[in-house]
């Protein structure tokens, strides 16, 4: 029981840290003059959250324009994964990998919400090893030498590492232009994150289905990974009829 309590406390701290690691855009006087403030103010009622007008990407100012645009599409209709993931026309002459990078940042944030739901169902006792089926058992790469972890530790370590990587200025000095040597990191992160969905589907089906019915995150992730060839089709093992 003591071990599980420590893991649960680590889960709460880690997922909170991941969400808080996303920098919050700052409002300026110029923004306030351009129209409605696109921020949730303290004390905003739940029914009024994110209730600002839809803005086209090419009309959105600031360094966080692509992130905010993607979030806007998700709020508008999380089921329309093609509209969410297909590159905006303005990326025709820009680095398409930057579009993938912004999506991956958002996926990392969104995955926190399903991991939180594992707090009382995925414990060191119920899931002492990270696996999908018996044919898919995963070692945790967060250690100096890859080794076996409990499933919940594996997920937390993977999310922590993914967040640290995409937020690092060393491999990703710019959000607008991804350096060639860092492109392969995206595929590596995608493969490891997908294992969270696979474990959820094969071992915590009720949690998976409840979450997927509301957020369509695995469906979006699968479409994203397939469209940009970030994973081999054979490794996408969650059945299509489970996410459509």
């Amino acid at each position: 029981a003591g071990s599980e309590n420590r893991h649960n406390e680590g889960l709460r701290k880690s997922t909170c840290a991941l969400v808080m690691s996303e920098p919050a855009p700052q409002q300026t006087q110029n923004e306030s003059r351009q129209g409605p403030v696109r921020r949730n103010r303290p004390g905003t009622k739940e029914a009024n959250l994110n209730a600002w007008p839809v803005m086209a990407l090419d009309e959105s100012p600031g360094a966080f324009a692509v992130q905010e645009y993607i979030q806007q599409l998700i709020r508008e209709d999380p089921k329309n994964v093609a509209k969410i993931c297909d590159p905006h026309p303005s990326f025709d002459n820009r680095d398409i990998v930057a579009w993938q990078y912004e999506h991956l940042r958002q996926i990392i944030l969104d995955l926190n919400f399903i991991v939180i739901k594992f707090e009382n169902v995925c414990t060191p006792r119920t899931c002492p090893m990270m696996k999908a089926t018996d044919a898919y058992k995963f070692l945790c790469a967060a250690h100096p030498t890859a080794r076996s972890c409990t499933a919940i530790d594996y997920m937390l370590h993977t999310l922590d590492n993914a967040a640290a990587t995409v937020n690092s200025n060393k491999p990703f000095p710019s959000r607008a232009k991804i350096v060639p040597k860092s492109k392969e990191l995206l595929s590596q992160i995608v493969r490891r994150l997908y294992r969270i969905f696979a474990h959820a589907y094969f071992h915590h089906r009720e949690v998976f289905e409840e979450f997927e019915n509301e957020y369509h995150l695995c469906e979006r992730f699968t479409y994203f990974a397939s469209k940009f060839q970030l994973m081999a089709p054979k490794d996408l093992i969650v059945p299509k009829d489970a996410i459509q």
Side-chain angles (χ1 to χ4, degrees), residues 12-225:
R12 284 188 288 270
K13 289 180 179 178
S14 182
T15 51
C16 180
L18 277 165
V19 174
M20 293 302 292
S21 70
E22 187 68 16
Q26 299 296 312
Q27 183 195 7
T28 65
Q29 279 190 326
N30 288 337
E31 283 182 301
S32 64
R33 292 170 184 157
Q34 290 171 356
V37 177
R38 301 168 66 78
R39 304 287 182 271
N40 292 313
R41 294 306 186 193
T44 302
K45 294 182 179 180
E46 183 178 1
N48 297 326
L49 291 174
N50 307 319
W52 46 73
V54 173
M55 181 181 288
L57 177 57
D58 53 6
E59 298 174 354
S60 183
F64 301 95
V66 178
Q67 173 187 338
E68 292 179 347
Y69 177 74
I70 291 170
Q71 291 173 345
Q72 176 179 279
L73 293 178
I74 294 169
R75 288 193 299 269
E76 189 176 23
D77 184 4
K79 299 186 297 296
N80 195 344
V81 297
K83 182 178 180 181
I84 295 168
C85 295
D86 288 351
H88 186 272
S90 66
F91 274 77
D92 287 347
N93 297 317
R94 296 167 58 184
D95 184 4
I96 198 65
V97 181
W99 176 260
Q100 299 171 31
Y101 170 77
E102 291 292 345
H103 265 281
L104 186 55
R105 289 175 64 94
Q106 185 61 40
I107 286 167
I108 292 169
L109 290 174
D110 292 342
L111 269 168
N112 284 290
F113 297 106
I114 190 171
V115 173
I116 288 172
K117 292 180 179 293
F118 292 147
E119 182 173 355
N120 296 316
V121 297
C122 184
T123 68
R125 181 180 301 173
T126 61
C127 303
M129 176 184 293
M130 181 62 175
K131 64 179 181 177
T133 65
D134 287 337
Y136 291 86
K137 298 178 181 178
F138 309 116
L139 298 179
C140 182
H143 309 275
T145 301
R147 65 177 178 81
S148 179
C149 269
T150 64
I152 192 64
D153 278 348
Y154 182 101
M155 290 185 280
L156 294 176
H157 294 165
T158 298
L159 282 171
D160 282 340
N161 275 0
T165 300
V166 299
N167 284 310
S168 172
N169 290 328
K170 186 174 181 180
F172 299 105
S174 169
R175 295 176 70 155
K177 180 71 175 179
I178 308 302
V179 297
K181 65 180 180 180
S182 295
K183 292 180 181 181
E184 63 186 50
L185 287 175
L186 301 185
S187 180
Q188 184 181 98
I189 293 171
V190 164
R191 290 195 304 272
R192 290 172 178 165
L193 291 178
Y194 183 78
R195 297 166 185 175
I196 297 175
F197 293 113
H199 178 78
Y201 176 79
F202 288 103
H203 296 275
H204 307 292
R205 186 74 55 86
E206 185 176 344
V207 173
F208 176 89
E209 291 177 347
E210 179 184 356
F211 185 85
E212 189 64 17
N213 287 338
E214 181 175 359
Y215 295 101
H216 303 272
L217 183 56
C218 187
E219 182 180 3
R220 187 195 340 150
F221 188 102
T222 302
Y223 182 91
F224 169 73

